[in-house]
Amino acid sequence: MSVVIRKLNGLWHLMVGSCQIRTPFPETQDRQLVVQYVRRAYPGARIFEHD
């Protein structure tokens, strides 16, 4: 499984497969916190980061 992390409309969003999931983190939040969130929610997923 792969997860793409993107900034969109002031929030961090996750693209998981064909689904877009909004996270509770504003884009001013540190990206590393979002990566930790993804690792807990989707263990073993490959994480790609886009701006």
Side-chain angles (χ1 to χ4, degrees):
M1 174 188 306
S2 62
V3 178
V4 177
I5 300 172
R6 296 176 36 171
K7 290 181 186 178
L8 184 64
N9 297 330
L11 291 173
W12 289 101
H13 284 73
L14 307 177
M15 300 295 290
V16 181
S18 63
C19 298
Q20 180 174 340
I21 302 168
R22 183 178 60 192
T23 67
F25 304 108
E27 70 178 19
T28 56
Q29 198 77 2
D30 186 33
R31 182 189 308 248
Q32 197 60 29
L33 183 63
V34 179
V35 170
Q36 289 174 359
Y37 173 78
V38 171
R39 290 196 191 281
R40 282 192 310 252
Y42 302 100
R46 291 183 296 158
I47 300 173
F48 300 96
E49 302 174 22
H50 291 278
D51 283 334

